[in-house]
Amino acid sequence: MDGIIDLGRLDMDPSRRSVLGVALFSVALTVPDWPDVVGRMEAAQMGVRSRLGMSDVHTVTAMTEQLSSMDDQFGGRTARPLAASFLVNTVAPFLKAGGREDVRRAMMSAASDLCYLTGYMAVDEGLHGLAQRYYLKALELAGASEDHLTFCTTLRGMSVQAVDLRQGPVAMRLADAAAASSPQAGPRMRAFLAGQQAHAAAQTGNRRSALMYLQEAEVAMDKAEARGKVFGSYAPASLSYHTSQVRYEMGDVHGAVAAMEESDRLRYGIYRRTRVKERAILAERQLATGHLEAACKTWWLALDDYPLVNSGRIDQRVTDMFRLLAPHLKNHDAQALYQRARDIVRPELIPA
């Protein structure tokens, strides 16, 4: 899989590879029940791993879970270099190794999931062209391994990227393709897909379809929650976020604020990066409805977590915050927030 090597090397800073390797193995040591994970990765890097086993697949899966958790907590800029290093130094050699056909398919599936995650991290950093290359590699590997779940998840991720870039028709095509590629989806997966279809439809101005898909997502989520909550998957907080986005696209800013407040209330605490980003969005919308003090309070909460998160999307929200606050600096709350932000955000984001 030379394509993964080329892609990963493109994404890596050569001057940092040795450092990244040390950091990566530190992450590996936190994976439970895999005390020999470092040894297997070292063997893959040295080219001595000639035959794949399911233990190698589990290594990639476990590391992907760890990297995903790092992304959730610390942002794409922190986690993506580690993911790129792991792809180049460990996953690519695994993909070249021999083994039973079922094991090779399982490895391609695991690699596909990691490529999707790395693409998502690149989106978080604002590297959209790079993200699309990772997403396309994820689709290629998912198709080769007949992994329908990662295939449709990647298409949905591409739709999320497109809708965030205000490319509504593209986002709609990708969201529909994701739904079509998973015809046997369970209720939670159906909510996951329909929520994105609702957001994309709303951005294209198709109010009827947006409301239809949103209702479908709500019904599916009710069924999913009745079967038991699943930590780490599409949850009520995610649905409230999509509800907020649909309402905002349709011009209901007050409704968008209420739904985003509900999303913030329901969200699990470990999703720090998402919490900061969505609180910033909430503050922008509170300000748009004329509630300056409420917006300042929400931005203040977002800044509590900001120093721990390294994310291009969040940096853009901070830049927007400075711009939006500038006309209101005679207000005590706005002035205090503005000064606090100047004290803690990255220097390049502070207005001259």
Side-chain angles (χ1 to χ4, degrees), residues 94-252:
F94 278 156
L95 290 170
K96 291 182 177 180
R100 296 196 324 261
E101 182 61 22
D102 63 320
V103 177
R104 284 185 52 76
R105 283 181 178 272
M107 179 58 74
M108 286 191 289
S109 175
S112 173
D113 195 32
L114 180 56
C115 283
Y116 161 72
L117 174 63
T118 311
Y120 182 79
M121 294 174 184
V123 169
D124 186 54
E125 197 167 344
L127 302 174
H128 293 289
L130 180 64
Q132 289 173 7
R133 293 183 66 171
Y134 275 119
Y135 283 157
L136 290 173
K137 181 58 66 175
L139 291 175
E140 176 188 327
L141 289 165
S145 59
E146 299 182 7
D147 181 349
H148 294 284
L149 176 60
T150 302
F151 191 84
C152 75
T153 298
T154 301
L155 286 170
R156 181 191 179 277
M158 296 172 77
S159 176
V160 172
Q161 180 188 22
V163 83
D164 286 347
L165 292 172
R166 307 299 301 175
Q167 297 178 8
V170 175
M172 192 73 250
R173 289 197 298 272
L174 289 165
D176 286 343
S181 67
S182 186
Q184 304 302 319
R188 195 173 299 275
M189 186 65 177
R190 185 60 215 135
F192 175 74
L193 297 170
Q196 180 58 27
Q197 286 177 294
H199 187 185
Q203 193 173 97
T204 64
N206 191 335
R207 180 185 181 92
R208 181 178 179 182
S209 291
L211 294 175
M212 178 191 71
Y213 285 127
L214 191 60
Q215 183 179 29
E216 186 176 341
E218 291 168 352
V219 170
M221 180 58 70
D222 284 344
K223 292 179 180 178
E225 289 291 290
R227 296 184 183 183
K229 296 183 179 180
V230 180
F231 183 77
S233 62
Y234 195 78
S238 308
L239 179 57
S240 293
Y241 168 78
H242 273 132
T243 300
S244 178
Q245 296 293 63
V246 168
R247 289 177 178 173
Y248 184 77
E249 295 287 357
M250 295 193 307
D252 178 10

Side-chain angles (χ1 to χ4, degrees), residues 3-23:
I4 283 184
I5 296 177
D6 293 341
L7 179 55
R9 285 178 176 165
L10 175 69
D11 193 15
M12 292 169 62
D13 179 355
S15 67
R16 297 178 63 196
R17 285 181 189 171
S18 61
V19 177
L20 289 174
V22 172

Side-chain angles (χ1 to χ4, degrees), residues 297-324:
K297 181 178 179 180
T298 303
W299 266 316
W300 193 278
L301 291 173
L303 288 178
D304 286 345
D305 288 321
Y306 171 82
L308 297 171
V309 181
N310 200 356
S311 160
R313 285 188 292 184
I314 289 174
D315 282 351
Q316 182 58 55
R317 293 291 176 186
V318 168
T319 300
D320 292 341
M321 180 192 70
F322 279 122
R323 175 179 55 81
L324 291 168

